[in-house]
Amino acid sequence: MTVRVQAEDFDVGAALDGLTAGRSDIGGVASFVGLVRDMAPPDRLIAMTLEHYPGMTEAELSRLEAEARARWPLSDCLIIHRHGRLTPGERIVLVATASAHRTAALEACAFLIDWLKTQAPFWKLEETEAAGRRWVDAKASDDEAAARWQG
Amino acid sequence: MTVRVQAEDFDVGAALDGLTAGRSDIGGVASFVGLVRDMAPPDRLIAMTLEHYPGMTEAELSRLEAEARARWPLSDCLIIHRHGRLTPGERIVLVATASAHRTAALEACAFLIDWLKTQAPFWKLEETEAAGRRWVDAKASDDEAAARWQG
Amino acid sequence: MRVLYFAWLRERVGLAEEEVDLPPSVTSVGELIAWLRGRGDNYAAAFARPEVVRAAVNQVHAKHDRPIAPGDEIALFPPVTGG
Amino acid sequence: MRVLYFAWLRERVGLAEEEVDLPPSVTSVGELIAWLRGRGDNYAAAFARPEVVRAAVNQVHAKHDRPIAPGDEIALFPPVTGG
Protein backbone atom coordinates (compact mmCIF):
# COMPACT_ATOMS: atom_id res chain seq x y z
CA MET A 1 0.00 0.00 0.00
CA THR A 2 1.89 2.99 -1.29
CA VAL A 3 1.14 6.56 -2.31
CA ARG A 4 3.91 8.78 -3.67
CA VAL A 5 3.65 12.44 -4.66
CA GLN A 6 6.84 13.67 -6.26
CA ALA A 7 8.41 16.01 -8.83
CA GLU A 8 10.70 13.32 -10.28
CA ASP A 9 9.79 10.85 -13.01
CA PHE A 10 9.21 7.19 -12.07
CA ASP A 11 10.18 3.81 -13.53
CA VAL A 12 6.99 1.97 -14.50
CA GLY A 13 8.63 -1.46 -14.89
CA ALA A 14 10.34 -1.26 -11.50
CA ALA A 15 7.14 -0.01 -9.85
CA LEU A 16 5.06 -2.88 -11.25
CA ASP A 17 7.74 -5.46 -10.43
CA GLY A 18 7.69 -4.18 -6.85
CA LEU A 19 4.02 -5.16 -6.50
CA THR A 20 4.67 -8.83 -7.28
CA ALA A 21 8.29 -9.42 -6.18
CA GLY A 22 8.64 -12.53 -4.05
CA ARG A 23 4.92 -13.35 -4.22
CA SER A 24 3.04 -16.12 -6.03
CA ASP A 25 -0.53 -15.35 -4.90
CA ILE A 26 -1.17 -12.64 -7.53
CA GLY A 27 -3.03 -13.51 -10.72
CA GLY A 28 -2.99 -10.12 -12.38
CA VAL A 29 -1.62 -6.58 -12.24
CA ALA A 30 -3.57 -3.80 -13.92
CA SER A 31 -2.03 -0.39 -14.45
CA PHE A 32 -2.69 2.98 -15.98
CA VAL A 33 -0.06 5.59 -16.88
CA GLY A 34 -1.29 9.12 -17.61
CA LEU A 35 0.89 11.27 -19.88
CA VAL A 36 1.07 14.94 -20.89
CA ARG A 37 -0.65 15.02 -24.27
CA ASP A 38 0.15 17.65 -26.88
CA MET A 39 -2.69 19.40 -28.69
CA ALA A 40 -3.34 19.94 -32.40
CA PRO A 41 -1.78 23.00 -34.07
CA PRO A 42 -2.03 25.95 -33.70
CA ASP A 43 -2.63 25.28 -30.00
CA ARG A 44 0.63 23.37 -29.40
CA LEU A 45 1.34 22.69 -25.75
CA ILE A 46 4.68 23.98 -24.49
CA ALA A 47 4.34 22.67 -20.95
CA MET A 48 1.86 21.84 -18.21
CA THR A 49 2.47 22.74 -14.57
CA LEU A 50 0.71 20.71 -11.90
CA GLU A 51 0.06 22.60 -8.67
CA HIS A 52 -1.07 20.56 -5.68
CA TYR A 53 -1.97 20.85 -2.01
CA PRO A 54 0.88 19.24 -0.06
CA GLY A 55 -0.44 17.14 2.80
CA MET A 56 -4.00 16.90 1.52
CA THR A 57 -2.83 15.27 -1.73
CA GLU A 58 -1.18 12.38 0.11
CA ALA A 59 -4.15 12.10 2.50
CA GLU A 60 -6.71 12.09 -0.32
CA LEU A 61 -4.80 9.52 -2.42
CA SER A 62 -4.51 7.31 0.68
CA ARG A 63 -8.27 7.63 1.23
CA LEU A 64 -8.93 6.63 -2.40
CA GLU A 65 -6.61 3.66 -2.05
CA ALA A 66 -8.36 2.55 1.16
CA GLU A 67 -11.71 2.85 -0.63
CA ALA A 68 -10.45 0.64 -3.51
CA ARG A 69 -9.19 -1.94 -1.02
CA ALA A 70 -12.55 -1.95 0.75
CA ARG A 71 -14.37 -2.58 -2.54
CA TRP A 72 -12.08 -5.14 -4.19
CA PRO A 73 -9.83 -7.92 -2.84
CA LEU A 74 -6.47 -6.36 -3.71
CA SER A 75 -3.10 -7.90 -2.91
CA ASP A 76 -1.38 -4.56 -3.35
CA CYS A 77 -1.94 -1.12 -4.77
CA LEU A 78 0.28 1.78 -5.86
CA ILE A 79 -0.35 5.40 -6.81
CA ILE A 80 2.44 7.73 -7.95
CA HIS A 81 1.50 11.29 -8.96
CA ARG A 82 3.93 13.95 -10.12
CA HIS A 83 3.71 17.71 -9.63
CA GLY A 84 5.62 20.62 -11.13
CA ARG A 85 6.34 21.58 -14.75
CA LEU A 86 6.05 18.75 -17.31
CA THR A 87 6.42 18.76 -21.09
CA PRO A 88 4.43 16.77 -23.73
CA GLY A 89 5.09 13.03 -23.57
CA GLU A 90 6.13 13.08 -19.90
CA ARG A 91 4.47 10.74 -17.39
CA ILE A 92 2.08 12.37 -14.88
CA VAL A 93 0.55 9.53 -12.91
CA LEU A 94 0.74 5.77 -12.36
CA VAL A 95 -2.05 3.71 -10.81
CA ALA A 96 -1.40 -0.02 -10.37
CA THR A 97 -3.46 -2.72 -8.67
CA ALA A 98 -2.58 -6.35 -7.99
CA SER A 99 -5.09 -9.07 -7.16
CA ALA A 100 -5.58 -12.82 -7.23
CA HIS A 101 -8.36 -12.13 -9.78
CA ARG A 102 -8.07 -10.10 -12.97
CA THR A 103 -11.50 -8.47 -12.74
CA ALA A 104 -10.73 -7.02 -9.30
CA ALA A 105 -7.41 -5.61 -10.54
CA LEU A 106 -8.93 -4.11 -13.72
CA GLU A 107 -11.96 -2.56 -12.01
CA ALA A 108 -9.99 -1.15 -9.07
CA CYS A 109 -7.47 0.42 -11.46
CA ALA A 110 -10.22 2.13 -13.48
CA PHE A 111 -11.96 3.24 -10.25
CA LEU A 112 -8.76 4.79 -8.87
CA ILE A 113 -7.90 6.81 -11.97
CA ASP A 114 -11.51 7.98 -12.41
CA TRP A 115 -11.81 9.09 -8.78
CA LEU A 116 -8.35 10.56 -8.63
CA LYS A 117 -9.32 12.94 -11.47
CA THR A 118 -12.18 14.43 -9.45
CA GLN A 119 -10.86 14.07 -5.88
CA ALA A 120 -7.08 14.56 -5.75
CA PRO A 121 -6.20 18.24 -5.17
CA PHE A 122 -4.22 18.99 -8.33
CA TRP A 123 -4.65 21.89 -10.75
CA LYS A 124 -3.17 22.12 -14.23
CA LEU A 125 -1.74 25.25 -15.80
CA GLU A 126 -1.17 24.91 -19.55
CA GLU A 127 1.27 27.00 -21.56
CA THR A 128 0.34 26.94 -25.24
CA GLU A 129 1.87 28.67 -28.25
CA ALA A 130 -1.41 30.23 -29.33
CA ALA A 131 -3.16 31.07 -26.07
CA GLY A 132 -0.36 31.61 -23.57
CA ARG A 133 -1.01 30.37 -20.05
CA ARG A 134 -4.41 28.94 -19.09
CA TRP A 135 -5.79 26.97 -16.13
CA VAL A 136 -7.40 23.72 -17.29
CA ASP A 137 -11.11 23.47 -16.45
CA ALA A 138 -12.50 20.38 -14.75
CA LYS A 139 -14.35 18.19 -17.27
CA ALA A 140 -17.98 17.14 -16.94
CA SER A 141 -16.92 13.81 -18.51
CA ASP A 142 -14.58 13.21 -15.56
CA ASP A 143 -17.42 13.83 -13.10
CA GLU A 144 -19.55 11.32 -15.04
CA ALA A 145 -16.75 8.74 -15.07
CA ALA A 146 -16.33 9.08 -11.31
CA ALA A 147 -20.10 9.00 -10.70
CA ARG A 148 -20.51 5.57 -12.27
CA TRP A 149 -18.63 4.07 -9.30
CA GLN A 150 -21.15 5.52 -6.83
CA GLY A 151 -23.87 3.32 -5.81
CA MET B 1 0.26 -2.94 -33.58
CA THR B 2 2.14 -5.94 -32.29
CA VAL B 3 1.36 -9.52 -31.29
CA ARG B 4 4.09 -11.74 -29.88
CA VAL B 5 3.79 -15.42 -28.89
CA GLN B 6 6.95 -16.65 -27.23
CA ALA B 7 8.45 -18.98 -24.62
CA GLU B 8 10.73 -16.29 -23.13
CA ASP B 9 9.78 -13.82 -20.43
CA PHE B 10 9.24 -10.18 -21.38
CA ASP B 11 10.20 -6.79 -19.90
CA VAL B 12 7.00 -4.92 -19.00
CA GLY B 13 8.65 -1.52 -18.58
CA ALA B 14 10.43 -1.71 -21.93
CA ALA B 15 7.25 -2.95 -23.64
CA LEU B 16 5.18 -0.06 -22.27
CA ASP B 17 7.88 2.50 -23.05
CA GLY B 18 7.88 1.21 -26.63
CA LEU B 19 4.22 2.23 -27.04
CA THR B 20 4.89 5.89 -26.25
CA ALA B 21 8.52 6.46 -27.28
CA GLY B 22 8.94 9.57 -29.40
CA ARG B 23 5.22 10.42 -29.30
CA SER B 24 3.33 13.20 -27.54
CA ASP B 25 -0.22 12.43 -28.74
CA ILE B 26 -0.93 9.73 -26.12
CA GLY B 27 -2.85 10.62 -22.96
CA GLY B 28 -2.85 7.21 -21.31
CA VAL B 29 -1.50 3.67 -21.41
CA ALA B 30 -3.51 0.90 -19.77
CA SER B 31 -2.00 -2.51 -19.22
CA PHE B 32 -2.69 -5.89 -17.68
CA VAL B 33 -0.11 -8.50 -16.75
CA GLY B 34 -1.36 -12.03 -16.03
CA LEU B 35 0.76 -14.18 -13.72
CA VAL B 36 0.89 -17.85 -12.71
CA ARG B 37 -0.87 -17.91 -9.35
CA ASP B 38 -0.16 -20.54 -6.73
CA MET B 39 -3.03 -22.29 -4.96
CA ALA B 40 -3.75 -22.79 -1.26
CA PRO B 41 -2.25 -25.87 0.46
CA PRO B 42 -2.53 -28.80 0.08
CA ASP B 43 -3.04 -28.13 -3.64
CA ARG B 44 0.23 -26.24 -4.18
CA LEU B 45 1.01 -25.58 -7.81
CA ILE B 46 4.37 -26.90 -9.01
CA ALA B 47 4.11 -25.60 -12.56
CA MET B 48 1.69 -24.74 -15.34
CA THR B 49 2.36 -25.68 -18.96
CA LEU B 50 0.68 -23.64 -21.68
CA GLU B 51 0.06 -25.52 -24.92
CA HIS B 52 -1.00 -23.50 -27.92
CA TYR B 53 -1.85 -23.78 -31.61
CA PRO B 54 1.05 -22.20 -33.51
CA GLY B 55 -0.20 -20.13 -36.40
CA MET B 56 -3.77 -19.86 -35.19
CA THR B 57 -2.65 -18.22 -31.93
CA GLU B 58 -0.97 -15.34 -33.74
CA ALA B 59 -3.88 -15.07 -36.19
CA GLU B 60 -6.48 -15.03 -33.41
CA LEU B 61 -4.61 -12.46 -31.30
CA SER B 62 -4.26 -10.25 -34.38
CA ARG B 63 -8.01 -10.55 -35.01
CA LEU B 64 -8.72 -9.54 -31.39
CA GLU B 65 -6.39 -6.58 -31.71
CA ALA B 66 -8.07 -5.46 -34.95
CA GLU B 67 -11.45 -5.72 -33.20
CA ALA B 68 -10.21 -3.54 -30.32
CA ARG B 69 -8.88 -0.95 -32.78
CA ALA B 70 -12.22 -0.93 -34.62
CA ARG B 71 -14.10 -0.28 -31.36
CA TRP B 72 -11.82 2.27 -29.67
CA PRO B 73 -9.53 5.05 -30.99
CA LEU B 74 -6.19 3.48 -30.04
CA SER B 75 -2.80 5.00 -30.79
CA ASP B 76 -1.11 1.65 -30.30
CA CYS B 77 -1.71 -1.81 -28.90
CA LEU B 78 0.47 -4.71 -27.76
CA ILE B 79 -0.20 -8.33 -26.82
CA ILE B 80 2.55 -10.67 -25.61
CA HIS B 81 1.57 -14.23 -24.63
CA ARG B 82 3.98 -16.90 -23.41
CA HIS B 83 3.72 -20.65 -23.89
CA GLY B 84 5.60 -23.58 -22.36
CA ARG B 85 6.23 -24.54 -18.73
CA LEU B 86 5.92 -21.72 -16.18
CA THR B 87 6.22 -21.70 -12.39
CA PRO B 88 4.20 -19.69 -9.81
CA GLY B 89 4.89 -15.97 -9.95
CA GLU B 90 5.98 -16.02 -13.59
CA ARG B 91 4.40 -13.68 -16.13
CA ILE B 92 2.04 -15.29 -18.69
CA VAL B 93 0.56 -12.45 -20.70
CA LEU B 94 0.78 -8.70 -21.25
CA VAL B 95 -1.96 -6.63 -22.84
CA ALA B 96 -1.29 -2.90 -23.29
CA THR B 97 -3.31 -0.19 -25.01
CA ALA B 98 -2.39 3.44 -25.69
CA SER B 99 -4.86 6.17 -26.57
CA ALA B 100 -5.34 9.92 -26.51
CA HIS B 101 -8.15 9.25 -24.02
CA ARG B 102 -7.95 7.22 -20.82
CA THR B 103 -11.39 5.61 -21.11
CA ALA B 104 -10.55 4.15 -24.53
CA ALA B 105 -7.27 2.72 -23.23
CA LEU B 106 -8.86 1.23 -20.08
CA GLU B 107 -11.86 -0.30 -21.86
CA ALA B 108 -9.84 -1.73 -24.75
CA CYS B 109 -7.38 -3.31 -22.32
CA ALA B 110 -10.18 -5.02 -20.34
CA PHE B 111 -11.85 -6.11 -23.60
CA LEU B 112 -8.65 -7.68 -24.92
CA ILE B 113 -7.86 -9.71 -21.80
CA ASP B 114 -11.49 -10.85 -21.44
CA TRP B 115 -11.73 -11.98 -25.06
CA LEU B 116 -8.28 -13.46 -25.14
CA LYS B 117 -9.31 -15.83 -22.32
CA THR B 118 -12.14 -17.31 -24.39
CA GLN B 119 -10.74 -16.96 -27.95
CA ALA B 120 -6.97 -17.48 -27.99
CA PRO B 121 -6.11 -21.16 -28.54
CA PHE B 122 -4.19 -21.90 -25.34
CA TRP B 123 -4.69 -24.79 -22.92
CA LYS B 124 -3.27 -25.01 -19.41
CA LEU B 125 -1.90 -28.15 -17.81
CA GLU B 126 -1.39 -27.80 -14.05
CA GLU B 127 0.99 -29.90 -11.99
CA THR B 128 0.01 -29.82 -8.31
CA GLU B 129 1.46 -31.55 -5.27
CA ALA B 130 -1.84 -33.08 -4.26
CA ALA B 131 -3.54 -33.92 -7.54
CA GLY B 132 -0.71 -34.50 -9.99
CA ARG B 133 -1.30 -33.24 -13.53
CA ARG B 134 -4.66 -31.81 -14.54
CA TRP B 135 -5.97 -29.84 -17.54
CA VAL B 136 -7.58 -26.57 -16.44
CA ASP B 137 -11.27 -26.32 -17.35
CA ALA B 138 -12.59 -23.23 -19.08
CA LYS B 139 -14.48 -21.02 -16.63
CA ALA B 140 -18.09 -19.94 -17.01
CA SER B 141 -17.06 -16.61 -15.43
CA ASP B 142 -14.65 -16.05 -18.35
CA ASP B 143 -17.45 -16.65 -20.86
CA GLU B 144 -19.59 -14.13 -18.98
CA ALA B 145 -16.78 -11.57 -18.89
CA ALA B 146 -16.29 -11.93 -22.65
CA ALA B 147 -20.03 -11.84 -23.34
CA ARG B 148 -20.47 -8.39 -21.79
CA TRP B 149 -18.53 -6.91 -24.74
CA GLN B 150 -20.96 -8.38 -27.27
CA GLY B 151 -23.82 -6.47 -28.85
CA MET C 1 -7.75 30.73 11.15
CA ARG C 2 -5.42 29.68 8.36
CA VAL C 3 -6.79 30.03 4.80
CA LEU C 4 -5.02 28.61 1.73
CA TYR C 5 -5.69 29.47 -1.92
CA PHE C 6 -4.79 27.40 -4.99
CA ALA C 7 -4.57 27.80 -8.77
CA TRP C 8 -6.36 30.84 -10.22
CA LEU C 9 -7.89 31.67 -6.83
CA ARG C 10 -4.35 32.04 -5.46
CA GLU C 11 -3.38 34.20 -8.42
CA ARG C 12 -6.41 36.50 -8.11
CA VAL C 13 -6.15 36.90 -4.35
CA GLY C 14 -2.41 37.40 -4.69
CA LEU C 15 -1.59 35.17 -1.72
CA ALA C 16 -0.96 31.45 -1.27
CA GLU C 17 -2.12 31.57 2.35
CA GLU C 18 -2.94 33.93 5.18
CA GLU C 19 -4.15 34.06 8.78
CA VAL C 20 -7.54 35.70 9.19
CA ASP C 21 -9.49 36.80 12.27
CA LEU C 22 -13.13 36.11 11.59
CA PRO C 23 -16.09 37.92 13.12
CA PRO C 24 -18.25 35.55 15.22
CA SER C 25 -20.99 35.66 12.55
CA VAL C 26 -18.81 33.66 10.10
CA THR C 27 -19.36 29.99 10.99
CA SER C 28 -19.34 28.06 7.68
CA VAL C 29 -17.26 27.73 4.51
CA GLY C 30 -19.92 29.62 2.52
CA GLU C 31 -19.96 32.47 5.05
CA LEU C 32 -16.17 32.63 4.93
CA ILE C 33 -16.26 33.01 1.14
CA ALA C 34 -18.90 35.76 1.37
CA TRP C 35 -16.84 37.54 4.03
CA LEU C 36 -13.62 37.29 1.98
CA ARG C 37 -15.39 38.87 -1.05
CA GLY C 38 -15.75 42.10 0.87
CA ARG C 39 -12.03 42.43 1.69
CA GLY C 40 -10.95 44.18 -1.53
CA ASP C 41 -10.94 44.13 -5.32
CA ASN C 42 -8.58 41.15 -5.51
CA TYR C 43 -10.89 39.07 -3.28
CA ALA C 44 -13.98 40.32 -5.14
CA ALA C 45 -12.40 39.13 -8.42
CA ALA C 46 -11.36 35.78 -6.95
CA PHE C 47 -14.76 35.01 -5.45
CA ALA C 48 -17.01 36.64 -8.06
CA ARG C 49 -18.68 33.26 -8.65
CA PRO C 50 -18.81 31.51 -5.25
CA GLU C 51 -20.59 28.48 -6.78
CA VAL C 52 -17.41 27.42 -8.62
CA VAL C 53 -15.27 27.56 -5.48
CA ARG C 54 -14.42 24.23 -3.85
CA ALA C 55 -13.18 23.84 -0.29
CA ALA C 56 -11.36 21.55 2.08
CA VAL C 57 -11.48 21.76 5.87
CA ASN C 58 -8.45 20.25 7.59
CA GLN C 59 -7.43 18.62 4.27
CA VAL C 60 -10.78 16.89 3.67
CA HIS C 61 -13.18 17.96 0.90
CA ALA C 62 -16.05 20.02 2.38
CA LYS C 63 -19.26 21.61 1.11
CA HIS C 64 -20.16 25.27 1.59
CA ASP C 65 -22.47 24.51 4.52
CA ARG C 66 -19.64 22.87 6.44
CA PRO C 67 -19.15 24.54 9.89
CA ILE C 68 -15.71 26.01 10.58
CA ALA C 69 -14.00 26.82 13.85
CA PRO C 70 -10.86 28.62 15.03
CA GLY C 71 -7.81 26.43 14.46
CA ASP C 72 -9.20 24.85 11.28
CA GLU C 73 -7.12 24.87 8.10
CA ILE C 74 -9.42 26.03 5.29
CA ALA C 75 -8.42 25.65 1.64
CA LEU C 76 -10.30 27.30 -1.23
CA PHE C 77 -9.71 26.27 -4.83
CA PRO C 78 -11.25 25.67 -8.28
CA PRO C 79 -12.55 22.17 -9.17
CA VAL C 80 -9.57 19.79 -9.15
CA THR C 81 -8.02 18.37 -12.33
CA GLY C 82 -5.74 15.54 -11.25
CA GLY C 83 -4.49 12.56 -13.19
CA MET D 1 -7.44 -33.76 -44.84
CA ARG D 2 -5.17 -32.68 -42.00
CA VAL D 3 -6.60 -33.00 -38.47
CA LEU D 4 -4.88 -31.57 -35.38
CA TYR D 5 -5.62 -32.40 -31.74
CA PHE D 6 -4.77 -30.33 -28.67
CA ALA D 7 -4.61 -30.72 -24.87
CA TRP D 8 -6.47 -33.75 -23.45
CA LEU D 9 -7.93 -34.57 -26.86
CA ARG D 10 -4.37 -34.96 -28.16
CA GLU D 11 -3.48 -37.13 -25.17
CA ARG D 12 -6.50 -39.40 -25.53
CA VAL D 13 -6.18 -39.81 -29.29
CA GLY D 14 -2.43 -40.34 -28.86
CA LEU D 15 -1.57 -38.14 -31.82
CA ALA D 16 -0.91 -34.42 -32.29
CA GLU D 17 -1.98 -34.54 -35.92
CA GLU D 18 -2.77 -36.92 -38.75
CA GLU D 19 -3.90 -37.05 -42.37
CA VAL D 20 -7.31 -38.69 -42.87
CA ASP D 21 -9.21 -39.80 -45.98
CA LEU D 22 -12.85 -39.09 -45.36
CA PRO D 23 -15.81 -40.88 -46.94
CA PRO D 24 -17.93 -38.51 -49.07
CA SER D 25 -20.71 -38.59 -46.45
CA VAL D 26 -18.57 -36.59 -43.99
CA THR D 27 -19.08 -32.93 -44.90
CA SER D 28 -19.09 -30.99 -41.59
CA VAL D 29 -17.07 -30.66 -38.38
CA GLY D 30 -19.77 -32.52 -36.47
CA GLU D 31 -19.78 -35.38 -38.95
CA LEU D 32 -15.99 -35.56 -38.77
CA ILE D 33 -16.16 -35.91 -34.96
CA ALA D 34 -18.81 -38.66 -35.24
CA TRP D 35 -16.73 -40.48 -37.86
CA LEU D 36 -13.54 -40.21 -35.73
CA ARG D 37 -15.37 -41.77 -32.73
CA GLY D 38 -15.72 -45.01 -34.66
CA ARG D 39 -12.01 -45.39 -35.40
CA GLY D 40 -10.99 -47.13 -32.15
CA ASP D 41 -11.06 -47.04 -28.37
CA ASN D 42 -8.68 -44.06 -28.13
CA TYR D 43 -10.93 -41.98 -30.42
CA ALA D 44 -14.05 -43.20 -28.63
CA ALA D 45 -12.54 -42.01 -25.32
CA ALA D 46 -11.43 -38.67 -26.77
CA PHE D 47 -14.80 -37.89 -28.37
CA ALA D 48 -17.12 -39.49 -25.78
CA ARG D 49 -18.76 -36.08 -25.24
CA PRO D 50 -18.81 -34.35 -28.63
CA GLU D 51 -20.60 -31.32 -27.17
CA VAL D 52 -17.46 -30.26 -25.26
CA VAL D 53 -15.26 -30.42 -28.36
CA ARG D 54 -14.36 -27.10 -29.99
CA ALA D 55 -13.04 -26.75 -33.53
CA ALA D 56 -11.17 -24.48 -35.88
CA VAL D 57 -11.21 -24.72 -39.67
CA ASN D 58 -8.15 -23.22 -41.33
CA GLN D 59 -7.18 -21.60 -38.01
CA VAL D 60 -10.51 -19.84 -37.48
CA HIS D 61 -13.00 -20.87 -34.75
CA ALA D 62 -15.83 -22.92 -36.27
CA LYS D 63 -19.09 -24.50 -35.06
CA HIS D 64 -20.00 -28.16 -35.53
CA ASP D 65 -22.25 -27.39 -38.50
CA ARG D 66 -19.37 -25.76 -40.38
CA PRO D 67 -18.83 -27.47 -43.81
CA ILE D 68 -15.39 -28.95 -44.42
CA ALA D 69 -13.63 -29.79 -47.67
CA PRO D 70 -10.48 -31.64 -48.78
CA GLY D 71 -7.42 -29.48 -48.17
CA ASP D 72 -8.86 -27.86 -45.02
CA GLU D 73 -6.82 -27.85 -41.80
CA ILE D 74 -9.19 -28.98 -39.04
CA ALA D 75 -8.25 -28.59 -35.36
CA LEU D 76 -10.20 -30.22 -32.52
CA PHE D 77 -9.67 -29.16 -28.90
CA PRO D 78 -11.27 -28.55 -25.49
CA PRO D 79 -12.56 -25.04 -24.65
CA VAL D 80 -9.57 -22.68 -24.62
CA THR D 81 -8.07 -21.25 -21.42
CA GLY D 82 -5.76 -18.44 -22.50
CA GLY D 83 -4.50 -15.45 -20.55
Side-chain angles (χ1 to χ4, degrees), chain B residues 58-74:
Chain B
E58 292 81 355
E60 191 62 32
L61 294 179
S62 296
R63 282 191 286 270
L64 292 181
E65 191 180 321
E67 178 68 26
R69 285 173 169 273
R71 291 182 181 215
W72 290 278
L74 300 180

Side-chain angles (χ1 to χ4, degrees), chain D residues 51-74:
Chain D
E51 70 276 13
V52 305
V53 177
R54 300 290 181 271
V57 175
N58 299 324
Q59 306 193 346
V60 176
H61 289 292
K63 303 203 165 168
H64 285 202
D65 61 0
R66 167 69 179 262
I68 57 176
D72 282 346
E73 174 179 301
I74 315 292

Side-chain angles (χ1 to χ4, degrees), chain A residues 51-53 55-56 60 63 81 92 116-124 133 135-138, chain C residues 4-8 10-11 55-56 58-61 73-75 77-83:
Chain A
E51 179 172 334
H52 78 119
Y53 180 176
M56 179 171 169
E60 190 62 31
R63 282 191 286 268
H81 205 304
I92 303 172
L116 187 156
K117 293 239 169 207
T118 63
Q119 298 293 313
F122 286 91
W123 301 273
K124 289 173 179 157
R133 59 197 298 287
W135 289 96
V136 177
D137 281 332
Chain C
L4 289 73
Y5 308 104
F6 291 97
W8 53 258
R10 172 180 52 71
E11 292 183 337
N58 299 326
Q59 308 194 345
V60 176
H61 288 293
E73 174 178 301
I74 315 294
F77 44 78
V80 305
T81 56

Side-chain angles (χ1 to χ4, degrees), chain C residues 8-32:
Chain C
W8 53 258
L9 274 169
R10 172 180 52 71
E11 292 183 337
R12 290 186 194 172
V13 171
L15 291 170
E17 62 176 277
E18 61 180 321
E19 286 285 331
V20 295
D21 283 317
L22 295 182
S25 62
V26 175
T27 62
S28 72
V29 168
E31 288 165 0
L32 171 64

Side-chain angles (χ1 to χ4, degrees), chain B residues 124-140:
Chain B
K124 289 174 179 158
L125 179 67
E126 287 177 351
E127 300 164 52
T128 68
E129 289 180 5
R133 59 198 297 286
R134 176 177 63 192
W135 289 96
V136 177
D137 281 333
K139 287 185 207 152

